[in-house]
């Protein structure tokens, strides 16, 4: 083989190797992010409207197409994440911790950050129900996902306190899986078997404006104080293979959290514009100004849920610290 041919062959091989290495390092050109219903997901709603993930990805030298999906509960969302149909899932602590435990040693799902801390109210229209001890077989309690949603786990914690150790599943048979908007319609119609709804803002506040609706359980009472409601999570595989996209998402979440906290009125207007909710700006703003509602990426009281879920066998592995559940970008926060 002549030197010219040899040199050409070596250059071609080197170029092919370089292209192969570049392709191996290439990040995804399209990702899908999931959200659910209510003002707790306002950060994600604004990220979608303002294309903030795309903005921060472009600043990192990436062009990415971001699509968004709406889910009624974390259980279905988790299935989509595991199948590769989603890159970022969002929801309550219950579904996340369940998936974290299930994927240890393989996909290693972890949380990117918290989204908020908010109280969850269990409201009822049954005049005979003063506390959760008063529910009977004639009642049905709607929540996002039976057994695994954060509302379901909170109800189990409350049942254990009300009925004693080992009685955490006492009310599970009364629960039904329903998306918050559908559950609210069912509760307020008075014609449905649904007599109670364990929901979230804004639904719980809108319900309390109606005659005959009252709260029988507040999640903050069960937890002994403020606690994280929603988080966002992904797989360690996605983060390792797409570090710039992961960082773009985290930066977008930080930006939008500061934006909401900097102008609650604009945030209320944005929620109504995006959600098409028929409520008023004044009503949504009043909810956002409730000191119990906090938009923050800092985890709060997550380990109380974890301890309960480990105790009753809902998860097989217990993390030693909240940091075991989260990626390092939030480890410097004062979480718990």
């Amino acid at each position: 083989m002549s030197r010219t041919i040899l040199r050409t062959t070596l250059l071609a091989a080197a170029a092919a190797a370089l292209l192969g290495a570049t392709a191996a390092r290439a990040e995804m050109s399209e990702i899908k992010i999931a959200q659910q219903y209510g003002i707790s997901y306002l950060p994600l709603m604004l990220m979608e409207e303002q294309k903030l993930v795309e903005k921060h990805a472009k600043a990192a030298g990436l062009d990415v197409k971001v699509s968004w999906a709406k889910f009624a509960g974390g259980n279905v969302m988790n299935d989509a994440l595991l199948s590769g149909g989603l890159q970022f899932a969002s929801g309550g602590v219950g579904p996340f911790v369940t998936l974290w435990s299930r994927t240890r040693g393989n996909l290693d799902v972890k949380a990117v950050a918290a989204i908020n801390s908010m109280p969850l109210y269990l409201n009822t229209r049954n005049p005979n129900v003063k506390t959760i001890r008063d529910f009977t077989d004639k009642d049905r309690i709607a929540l996002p996902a039976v057994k695994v949603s954060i509302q379901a786990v909170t109800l189990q914690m409350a049942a254990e306190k009300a009925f004693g150790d080992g009685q955490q599943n006492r009310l599970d048979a009364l629960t039904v899986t329903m998306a918050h908007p559908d559950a609210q319609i069912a509760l307020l119609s008075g014609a449905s078997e649904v007599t109670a709804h364990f929901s979230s803002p804004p639904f719980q506040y809108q319900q309390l404006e109606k005659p005959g609706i009252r709260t029988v359980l507040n999640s903050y009472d069960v937890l002994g104080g403020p606690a994280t409601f929603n988080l966002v999570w992904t797989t360690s595989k996605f983060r390792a293979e797409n570090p710039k996209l992961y960082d773009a998402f985290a930066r977008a979440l930080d930006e939008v959290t500061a934006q909401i906290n900097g102008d609650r009125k604009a945030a209320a207007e944005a929620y109504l514009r995006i959600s098409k909710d028929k409520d008023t700006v004044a009503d949504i703003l009043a909810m956002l100004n409730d000191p119990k509602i906090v938009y923050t990426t800092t985890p709060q009281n997550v380990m109380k849920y974890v301890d309960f879920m480990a105790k009753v066998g809902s998860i097989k592995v217990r993390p030693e610290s909240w940091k075991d559940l989260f990626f390092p970008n939030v480890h410097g926060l004062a979480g718990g």
Side-chain angles (χ1 to χ4, degrees):
M1 182 182 292
S2 70
R3 289 185 177 181
T4 301
I5 295 175
L6 178 61
R7 183 169 180 271
T8 301
T9 302
L10 291 173
L11 287 173
L18 179 61
L19 285 172
T22 301
R25 291 196 302 269
E27 301 199 14
M28 294 179 69
S29 60
E30 183 173 355
I31 62 172
K32 182 175 282 188
I33 305 170
Q35 56 182 288
Q36 297 185 50
Y37 297 94
I39 63 173
S40 63
Y41 293 95
L42 181 56
L44 302 184
M45 295 165 69
L46 290 173
M47 285 166 63
E48 177 183 7
E49 183 184 56
Q50 299 175 21
K51 298 185 180 300
L52 293 182
V53 176
E54 294 93 327
K55 167 189 163 182
H56 286 280
K58 195 168 189 66
L62 300 177
D63 286 318
V64 62
K65 178 182 177 182
V66 180
S67 57
W68 294 78
K70 247 330 184 343
F71 286 79
N75 54 337
V76 181
M77 195 181 302
N78 278 344
D79 291 340
L81 184 72
L82 295 180
S83 68
L86 282 179
Q87 282 64 57
F88 291 97
S90 61
V93 176
F96 160 65
V97 172
T98 299
L99 194 61
W100 174 87
S101 176
R102 280 176 53 198
T103 60
R104 298 297 295 155
N106 43 75
L107 290 177
D108 284 324
V109 169
K110 292 187 178 182
V112 180
I115 301 177
N116 54 61
S117 289
M118 295 185 180
L120 309 176
Y121 296 168
L122 173 56
N123 292 337
T124 185
R125 60 178 168 82
N126 185 343
N128 298 318
V129 176
K130 310 300 182 185
T131 73
I132 64 169
R133 297 178 64 88
D134 299 322
F135 283 116
T136 71
D137 290 342
K138 295 181 180 179
D139 293 293
R140 290 296 178 268
I141 304 168
L143 38 72
V146 170
K147 288 190 176 290
V148 298
S149 65
I150 188 171
Q151 286 89 348
V153 176
T154 305
L155 185 61
Q156 290 176 345
M157 296 172 74
E160 184 183 68
K161 288 184 176 181
F163 300 107
D165 287 344
Q167 297 297 307
Q168 68 274 3
N169 299 321
R170 182 78 168 263
L171 300 175
D172 283 2
L174 305 183
T175 61
V176 293
T177 298
M178 295 183 74
H180 286 320
D182 296 333
Q184 175 150 301
I185 291 171
L187 176 69
L188 298 181
S189 72
S192 165
E193 65 176 359
V194 172
T195 59
H197 181 198
F198 208 163
S199 62
S200 65
F203 307 103
Q204 59 196 29
Y205 297 112
Q206 293 168 343
Q207 293 164 10
L208 290 171
E209 294 174 357
K210 307 299 182 181
I213 304 293
R214 66 187 180 287
T215 300
V216 294
L217 188 70
N218 180 334
S219 65
Y220 279 12
D221 293 336
V222 178
L223 272 291
T228 293
F229 171 28
N230 297 130
L231 321 94
V232 61
W233 57 90
T234 188
T235 65
S236 291
K237 182 177 185 292
F238 171 81
R239 178 175 175 268
E241 295 177 354
N242 301 272
K244 290 182 179 179
L245 283 177
Y246 177 92
D247 186 62
F249 182 92
R251 289 178 181 273
L253 183 58
D254 285 338
E255 177 181 341
V256 80
T257 300
Q259 184 183 128
I260 293 171
N261 289 325
D263 192 339
R264 293 293 176 103
K265 184 172 186 293
E269 292 169 344
Y271 174 76
L272 292 175
R273 180 176 66 249
I274 299 168
S275 69
K276 310 301 183 186
D277 194 312
K278 302 304 180 184
D279 220 326
T280 66
V281 172
D283 284 343
I284 298 298
L285 182 57
M287 297 177 202
L288 295 182
N289 284 333
D290 184 337
K292 296 188 292 294
I293 290 182
V294 180
Y295 290 95
T296 177
T297 56
T298 301
Q300 192 170 17
N301 261 334
V302 170
M303 290 302 291
K304 288 193 176 181
Y305 280 111
V306 170
D307 289 342
F308 173 78
M309 294 173 73
K311 172 187 171 184
V312 300
S314 298
I315 57 173
K316 304 304 181 185
V317 182
R318 183 193 177 281
E320 293 300 317
S321 161
W322 69 269
K323 292 182 180 180
D324 295 336
L325 300 166
F326 288 79
F327 288 114
N329 54 287
V330 294
H331 286 184
L333 302 177

